[in-house]
Amino acid sequence: MKKYPIAIQIHCLREDFAEKPLETLKMIKEMGYDGVELNLGNLQLDKYTVEDYKAWLDEAGLECYSMMFGIDSMSAENKDKTLEVLLALGVKNVVIGSVKFYKLKED
């Protein structure tokens, strides 16, 4: 039978992830997951670098399958930084987790 890679949404472990990111990622791997969906809002980029997060993912043996964030992360002023984070983590999929209807009508 074909094995499908399974990821967990890090948001459901956000308190643990905020306190001890590497330990949380290792625990996720021990639980049998292959990857995670990170949430841009859960990354403490003022405290840790994107390279820290990538190193922790690698050390835990996990992939970042997707990243969730609000539509504002793709605004003209935030887009470059968001793409930089996505590329550095090797994110293959993006999930826009929130969009306000009036923002859709503006563009």
Side-chain angles (χ1 to χ4, degrees), residues 7 16 20 25-27 29-30 45-47 63 65-66 68 74-75 80 86 88 90-91 93 98-99 102-103:
D16 292 317
K20 41 192 182 223
L25 293 171
K26 286 181 175 180
M27 178 190 69
K29 182 65 176 181
E30 288 175 16
L45 296 174
D46 57 331
K47 186 174 179 181
E63 287 186 53
Y65 288 141
S66 59
M68 181 169 59
M74 293 304 282
S75 68
D80 288 342
L86 295 171
V91 176
N93 301 290
S98 62
V99 177
Y102 69 88
K103 292 205 179 238

Side-chain angles (χ1 to χ4, degrees), residues 20-85:
K20 41 192 182 223
L22 177 57
E23 292 85 352
T24 303
L25 293 171
K26 286 181 175 180
M27 178 190 69
I28 289 168
K29 182 65 176 181
E30 288 175 16
M31 292 168 55
Y33 290 97
D34 302 297
V36 293
E37 176 184 74
L38 293 177
N39 183 315
L40 190 58
N42 294 135
L43 299 182
Q44 299 177 65
L45 296 174
D46 57 331
K47 186 174 179 181
Y48 306 114
T49 67
V50 176
E51 291 78 19
D52 290 332
Y53 286 105
K54 178 62 173 146
W56 295 331
L57 286 164
D58 291 345
E59 186 174 336
L62 295 169
E63 287 186 53
C64 182
Y65 288 141
S66 59
M67 176 77 73
M68 181 169 59
F69 49 78
I71 192 71
D72 290 341
S73 294
M74 293 304 282
S75 68
E77 64 192 63
N78 297 324
K79 186 177 181 180
D80 288 342
K81 180 65 177 168
T82 299
L83 292 174
E84 184 179 308
V85 170

